[in-house]
Amino acid sequence: MLLGLALLYVGAVLVLNGIWLHGRIGDNEIWVINIFSGVVTCLVSFKLAFGANADAGSIKAAALTLLFAFTYFWVCINRFNGSDGRGLGWFSLFVAITAIPVAIDTLFNATSVWQIWFGLCWAAWAFLWFLFFLLLAMKKPIARFTGSVAAVEGILTGWLPGYLLLDGVLS
């Protein structure tokens, strides 16, 4: 259930950040969804890592979820400090490289349609974080493309599976 909660807000923040990259949301208000999603994913991570039933698997899930939370917090902070985002871009490369073996491992060990979908989600997130590296650290002019990818991934890797998990359709 915690995964559904986290993914629902991952979906929301990716869709809205995608719209923001298209210039449809201002810098002065995109921080709201980023801070909220960062807090939600951070709290989910803390429960997984430090809850009564924490084990190696839940701690790994927490560590990976914190990659999302930290990204959202950094986007938020950059809106306040006027940073050009290069540091976030380099962090995004770190996350993209981290997400690749997670995707491979998840797909290799998948025993259900949901696990295959989740492995593909990790691959998609690795691609998106790599786009953020190119956009922010390498200053490639790909904001609109990155925004479109973020919005589509927000729906397919966050919003939809998050809702289906919360609704009990996926388990």
Side-chain angles (χ1 to χ4, degrees):
M1 199 54 73
L2 287 176
L3 179 59
L5 170 66
L7 285 176
L8 185 68
Y9 285 96
V10 165
V13 75
L14 289 179
V15 168
L16 292 173
N17 281 340
I19 294 168
W20 169 59
L21 286 171
H22 278 267
R24 304 282 186 171
I25 297 174
D27 282 351
N28 59 343
E29 65 179 329
I30 196 62
W31 68 270
V32 175
I33 190 64
N34 279 279
I35 196 75
F36 186 80
S37 298
V39 167
V40 167
T41 53
C42 198
L43 290 173
V44 166
S45 296
F46 289 167
K47 169 75 170 142
L48 291 170
F50 305 114
N53 297 322
D55 61 13
S58 69
I59 292 170
K60 178 182 177 183
L64 296 173
T65 303
L66 283 170
L67 296 171
F68 290 86
F70 196 72
T71 300
Y72 307 143
F73 287 140
W74 203 327
V75 170
C76 178
I77 289 167
N78 283 354
R79 300 299 39 96
F80 289 112
N81 70 12
S83 172
D84 66 1
R86 281 183 290 180
L88 176 56
W90 284 102
F91 175 72
S92 295
L93 177 63
F94 166 80
V95 179
I97 292 168
T98 303
I100 292 168
V102 175
I104 293 167
D105 184 54
T106 304
L107 288 167
F108 183 74
N109 293 305
T111 58
S112 68
V113 172
W114 162 242
Q115 291 171 345
I116 293 169
W117 186 354
F118 199 47
L120 294 173
C121 288
W122 275 105
W125 294 326
F127 177 66
L128 180 59
W129 265 305
F130 184 71
L131 290 178
F132 281 117
F133 163 71
L134 293 176
L135 175 68
L136 298 169
M138 299 287 95
K139 300 300 181 191
K140 300 294 181 186
I142 58 169
R144 291 183 63 80
F145 176 70
T146 304
S148 296
V149 171
V152 169
E153 284 192 18
I155 295 166
L156 297 178
T157 70
W159 189 358
L160 181 59
Y163 177 80
L164 293 175
L165 284 166
L166 290 171
D167 202 40
V169 175
L170 293 176
S171 56

